[in-house]
């Protein structure tokens, strides 16, 4: 019998601890499959953030470091500088990367650090229970914006991919969505590209994955994807902002 | 090797490189600028990594990453920058990583000033970062000792997989003194040192086991598991207390009427004062803690001879090591304290005057 689908070698057998309908599992799988495809399972090291994916070090089947909140790009820098022969990625959410870790991501990108960053944006803090994120949409209600995000008080959501695309050094920056099977196929291509460039030592690669949080949004998983398509994608437009390998500057 | 005249900041950097440090991450701050500048100049020459981080927070997290990969790595800063590193030091202690941190202390609190001070004793020895942990604290009192402590710090960090802080100050950092360096570690030695961490570090060396899943982590969500982890740390700390407590005894004898306790720069000045008083035929000794953690409680208790009527503590702060000395003395004799703050350093004559008044 031919095996046509199996667990990627880059994932451990530890069951995911994510909520029903959460897309972290999909994101993990895309990354793991891509690492397998490029034969990097023994040359890869990942850095897990603080947030829902804090336990990512249990799920990826290679060496992993768990970083302090927001510091994953600095930790990844330390690992990569210590072992330039290894390949390193960070996996971070929007609270981790776009709030407390703003300095670390901007400067790792600006140095052209030879790491990949997978940035899962679901417009909310998940693990701590649904607080406002820097990516929370205008007027969106969260536990710390109970009357909706007031942009004249707290500002607008940060578009991280666009922000990083103002820098000269990054090699590859793309925003994709995980909201439909067709989108996931496109997302896989972006993740593959980041891993490929990482393997080739090209430079800083960044993939933003638009995701959902059914639990903290208070919307069921299927409707969450519809809500995100209608509300998140117009603000966080998918697209490639930089691809030096393909001449997109 | 012949002695060379060097600033403490440069000497400790040179000694770190000779000890096999090939990764250094830091952010500029006075009065440790010569250290970061020396590393910027020398690391590329030895095939090492120098990286000026965007903040002390990032620098210590780069250290966390590189230490997690089992490499000898160092950062340095001065007081306000060490506060920013406190988070990372806690993670390094929690994840049991070997790392060396140099603090060239300046006046505080807040932005303070850029003159020598010893105001970070509490921060260095009683925590600094959050949670139950200890870091080994080495306190030099000369440029030579500052340099010698680099290799000692790396060896201790490797041995115990623990952060080690060299707690100097702006005086030791800026002052030039003759210094003799040890032979640099050979590449073979460095390779061997690298291998000792293969059983736990991420990305072990080529000949290490690659089919593994190593985690660098301080998170244990199960309270029972965290309890066991913290208890294991404390067992390790008990071994460090037993085996690594260091101090200098200066003019200690049963005839001592006064016992001084001072560390770092302050201890040099106290020594000068003691030499003056000795010349007058009076008996006075000093204990200088070389490790501020673990603290030489027993050495101080033992040094209180039959004639000692007072223990006198001198620091460039408002009395921080004083607490540890009081624990050591345990009420046997009165403990007095005098200090200068604000980056002002006391003179031997001032100390002499304080001590003369005790006889």
């Amino acid at each position: 019998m031919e095996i046509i689908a199996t667990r990627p070698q880059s994932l451990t057998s530890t069951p995911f601890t994510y909520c029903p309908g959460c897309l972290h599992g999909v994101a993990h799988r895309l990354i793991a499959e891509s690492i397998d495809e490029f034969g990097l399972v023994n040359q890869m090291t990942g850095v897990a953030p603080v947030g829902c994916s804090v336990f990512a070090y249990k799920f990826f089947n290679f060496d992993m470091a768990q970083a302090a909140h927001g510091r994953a790009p600095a930790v990844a820098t330390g690992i990569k500088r210590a072992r330039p022969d290894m390949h390193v990625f960070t996996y971070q959410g929007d609270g981790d990367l776009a709030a407390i870790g703003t300095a670390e991501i901007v400067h790792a990108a600006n140095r052209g650090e030879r790491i990949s960053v997978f940035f899962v944006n679901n417009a909310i803090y998940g693990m701590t229970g649904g607080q406002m994120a820097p990516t929370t949409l205008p007027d969106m209600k969260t536990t710390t914006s109970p009357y909706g995000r007031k942009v004249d008080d707290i500002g607008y959501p940060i578009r991280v991919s666009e922000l990083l695309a103002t820098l000269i050094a990054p090699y590859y920056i793309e925003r994709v969505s995980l909201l439909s099977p067709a989108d996931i196929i496109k997302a896989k291509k972006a993740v593959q590209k980041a891993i490929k460039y990482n393997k080739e030592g090209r430079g800083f690669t960044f993939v933003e994955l638009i995701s959902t949080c059914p639990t903290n949004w208070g919307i069921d998983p299927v409707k969450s994807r519809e809500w995100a398509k209608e509300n998140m994608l117009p603000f966080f437009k998918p697209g490639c902002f930089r691809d030096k390998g393909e001449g997109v500057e | 090797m012949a002695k060379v005249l060097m600033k403490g900041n440069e000497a400790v950097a040179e000694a770190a490189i000779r000890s096999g440090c090939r990764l250094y991450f830091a952010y500029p701050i006075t009065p440790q600028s010569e250290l970061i500048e020396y590393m910027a100049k020398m690391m590329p020459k030895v095939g090492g990594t120098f990286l000026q981080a965007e903040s002390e927070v990032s620098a210590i997290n780069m250290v966390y990453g590189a230490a997690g990969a089992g490499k000898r790595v160092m950062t340095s800063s001065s007081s306000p920058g060490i506060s920013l590193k406190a988070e990372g030091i806690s993670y390094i202690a929690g994840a049991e990583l070997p790392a060396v941190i140099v603090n060239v202390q300046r006046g505080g609190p807040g932005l303070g000033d850029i003159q020598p001070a010893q105001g970070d004793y509490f921060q260095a020895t009683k925590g600094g970062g959050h949670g139950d942990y200890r870091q080994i604290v080495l306190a030099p009192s000369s440029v030579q000792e500052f340099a010698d402590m680099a290799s000692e710090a790396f060896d201790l960090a490797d041995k115990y997989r623990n952060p080690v802080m060299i707690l100097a100050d702006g005086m030791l950092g800026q002052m030039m003194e003759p210094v003799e360096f040890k032979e640099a570690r050979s590449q073979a030695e460095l390779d061997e040192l690298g291998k000792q961490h293969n059983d736990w570090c991420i990305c072990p060396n080529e000949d290490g086991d690659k089919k593994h899943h190593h985690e660098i982590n301080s998170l244990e969500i199960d309270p029972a598991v965290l309890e066991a982890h913290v208890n294991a740390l404390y067992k390790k700390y008990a071994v460090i207390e037993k085996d690594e407590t260091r101090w200098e005894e200066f003019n200690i004898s049963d005839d001592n009427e006064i016992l001084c306790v001072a560390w770092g720069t302050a201890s040099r000045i106290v020594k000068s004062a003691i030499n003056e008083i000795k010349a007058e035929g009076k008996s006075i000794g000093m204990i200088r803690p070389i490790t501020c953690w673990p603290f030489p409680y027993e050495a101080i208790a033992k040094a209180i001879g039959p004639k000692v009527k007072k223990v006198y503590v001198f620091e460039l702060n408002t009395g921080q090591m004083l607490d540890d000395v009081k624990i050591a003395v345990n009420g046997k004799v009165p403990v007095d304290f005098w200090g200068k703050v604000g980056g002002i350093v006391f003179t031997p004559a001032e100390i002499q005057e304080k001590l003369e008044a005790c006889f």
Side-chain angles (χ1 to χ4, degrees):
Chain A
M1 195 163 58
E2 189 193 356
I3 296 173
I4 55 165
T6 185
R7 179 189 296 278
Q9 213 192 334
S10 291
L11 287 179
T12 64
S13 56
T14 306
F16 291 149
T17 43
Y18 300 115
C19 298
C22 174
L23 295 170
H24 269 310
V26 174
H28 282 17
R29 176 145 190 133
L30 297 185
I31 294 166
E33 284 176 355
S34 301
I35 292 168
D36 279 12
E37 285 157 14
F38 287 98
L40 292 176
V41 66
N42 287 331
Q43 284 86 50
M44 189 56 78
T45 295
V47 183
V50 169
C52 286
S53 47
V54 69
F55 294 117
Y57 61 87
K58 297 267 181 228
F59 306 139
F60 286 105
N61 193 22
F62 33 72
D63 290 349
M64 293 288 293
Q66 200 286 318
H69 202 16
R71 317 298 179 217
V75 172
T77 297
I79 296 169
K80 183 66 183 172
R81 296 295 180 123
R83 290 298 301 271
D85 56 321
M86 300 295 283
H87 301 282
V88 186
F89 75 89
T90 75
Y91 186 99
Q92 300 178 259
D94 40 299
D96 189 82
L97 183 141
I100 198 166
T102 318
E104 284 78 6
I105 190 61
V106 168
H107 287 272
N110 193 48
R111 286 190 301 268
E113 210 61 59
R114 286 168 170 71
I115 60 171
S116 298
V117 174
F118 298 107
F119 169 46
V120 179
N121 177 1
N122 62 2
I124 204 160
Y125 282 73
M127 188 180 68
T128 44
Q131 293 83 14
M132 185 179 66
T135 46
T136 293
L137 296 171
D139 299 319
M140 186 175 163
K141 285 182 182 170
T142 70
T143 59
T144 52
S145 59
Y147 310 109
R149 178 181 185 138
K150 300 294 174 222
V151 293
D152 57 350
D153 182 49
I154 198 72
Y156 289 85
I158 296 177
R159 294 180 176 117
V160 178
S161 290
E162 287 87 337
L163 185 100
L164 296 181
T166 64
L167 303 171
I168 296 164
Y171 194 82
Y172 174 61
I173 300 170
E174 180 150 3
R175 181 187 290 123
V176 291
S177 121
L178 299 174
L179 302 174
S180 71
D183 285 356
I184 290 170
I185 290 167
K186 280 188 211 160
K188 172 74 184 285
K189 287 185 177 144
V191 171
Q192 278 174 323
K193 199 174 247 186
I195 297 292
K196 176 177 176 281
Y197 288 154
N198 188 317
K199 185 180 182 181
E200 294 166 356
R202 299 290 189 98
F204 181 83
T205 55
F206 184 89
V207 180
E208 177 173 349
L209 304 134
I210 299 298
S211 185
T212 62
C213 185
T215 300
N216 287 303
W217 289 359
I219 310 174
D220 77 47
V222 175
K223 284 183 186 153
S224 283
R225 290 172 203 200
E226 293 311 312
W227 187 90
K229 280 181 204 165
E230 284 163 26
N231 295 282
M232 287 187 74
L233 295 188
F235 194 90
F236 299 109
K237 291 190 176 73
C240 181
F241 300 92
R242 176 75 51 81
D243 187 347
K244 290 187 182 178
E246 306 263 343
V248 181
E249 294 280 346
Chain B
M1 283 184 84
K3 287 193 174 182
V4 287
L5 191 64
M6 259 180 136
K7 284 191 178 191
N9 282 334
E10 294 173 334
V12 74
E14 173 62 29
I17 291 171
R18 284 165 183 267
S19 308
C21 174
R22 289 293 179 275
L23 293 138
Y24 171 86
F25 305 97
Y27 184 86
I29 184 170
T30 309
Q32 66 87 55
S33 297
E34 295 84 359
L35 208 171
I36 187 172
E37 287 164 1
Y38 193 88
M39 287 297 200
K41 195 170 65 181
M42 298 308 290
M43 272 300 190
K45 294 187 182 179
V46 294
T49 294
F50 165 84
L51 200 159
Q52 180 171 327
E54 61 270 23
S55 70
E56 281 95 347
V57 175
S58 287
I60 193 71
N61 281 283
M62 291 170 186
V63 168
Y64 175 92
K71 299 293 183 188
R72 289 200 151 187
V73 55
M74 185 168 107
T75 186
S76 64
S77 191
S78 178
S79 308
I82 297 294
S83 294
L84 287 173
K85 291 189 196 294
E87 174 197 62
I89 295 171
S90 169
Y91 279 72
I92 288 168
E96 293 193 86
L97 303 179
V100 174
I101 303 116
V102 176
N103 181 0
V104 183
Q105 292 171 95
R106 60 189 243 182
L111 210 45
D113 64 15
I114 56 172
Q115 304 304 319
Q118 296 184 316
D120 301 349
Y121 181 92
F122 281 156
Q123 185 193 47
T125 62
K126 310 297 178 195
H130 58 282
D132 264 342
Y133 76 92
R134 291 282 189 265
Q135 69 178 352
I136 298 169
V137 180
L138 304 175
S141 66
S142 68
V143 171
Q144 180 68 59
E145 195 177 24
F146 199 2
D148 290 345
M149 279 178 175
S151 66
E152 192 168 11
F154 280 109
D155 288 347
L156 287 167
D158 277 340
K159 184 174 177 185
Y160 295 104
R161 285 175 56 190
N162 208 69
V164 178
M165 178 174 282
I166 303 178
L167 189 60
D169 61 52
M171 179 77 86
L172 291 160
Q174 299 290 319
M175 176 170 72
M176 292 180 95
E177 279 189 312
V179 54
E180 188 173 1
F181 291 106
K182 292 177 186 165
E183 283 295 317
R185 299 262 187 161
S186 68
Q187 193 55 50
E189 262 184 298
L190 296 181
D191 292 345
E192 213 42 50
L193 281 170
K195 283 182 201 159
Q196 68 179 317
H197 298 309
N198 274 358
D199 61 337
W200 62 267
C201 76
I202 48 175
C203 337
N205 291 332
E206 303 324 308
D207 55 349
D209 169 25
K210 277 194 177 174
K211 298 269 179 203
H212 54 71
H213 177 89
H214 289 168
E215 293 168 3
I216 300 302
N217 179 35
S218 62
L219 173 68
E220 298 295 352
I221 207 76
D222 178 344
V225 176
L226 183 59
E227 183 189 38
H229 173 60
V230 176
N231 284 337
L233 287 180
Y234 266 73
K235 276 190 186 160
K236 176 173 87 175
Y237 300 153
V239 173
I240 297 172
E241 284 174 335
K242 186 171 128 321
D243 293 345
E244 310 296 350
T245 306
R246 280 153 220 198
W247 67 92
E248 180 193 352
E249 296 185 358
F250 182 71
N251 205 41
I252 296 291
S253 83
D254 280 349
D255 292 330
N256 288 162
E257 290 184 60
I258 304 292
L259 175 68
C260 299
V261 187
W263 61 283
T265 289
S267 71
R268 288 173 71 119
I269 301 159
V270 175
K271 258 188 198 175
S272 300
I274 288 174
N275 282 332
E276 293 295 323
I277 295 166
K278 251 169 67 181
E280 296 165 11
K282 295 169 184 165
S283 183
I284 178 168
M286 179 177 78
I287 295 283
R288 173 175 76 93
I290 295 171
T291 51
C292 290
W293 190 85
F295 189 78
Y297 295 106
E298 280 180 37
I300 290 170
K302 276 188 194 156
I304 303 171
K307 295 181 187 167
V308 169
K309 49 191 180 189
K310 182 189 271 190
V311 172
Y312 217 139
V313 178
F314 297 97
E315 295 181 85
L316 297 170
N317 59 40
T318 52
Q320 296 195 12
M321 179 188 65
L322 174 63
D323 288 4
D324 282 325
V325 175
K326 282 181 177 171
I327 290 169
V329 173
N330 200 17
K332 272 201 267 181
V333 293
V335 178
D336 213 342
F337 171 81
W338 192 62
K340 289 285 253 182
V341 292
I344 296 171
V345 178
F346 35 59
T347 64
E350 286 175 311
I351 300 292
Q352 194 181 339
E353 193 187 322
K354 294 284 169 193
L355 289 172
E356 299 276 14
C358 302
F359 287 92

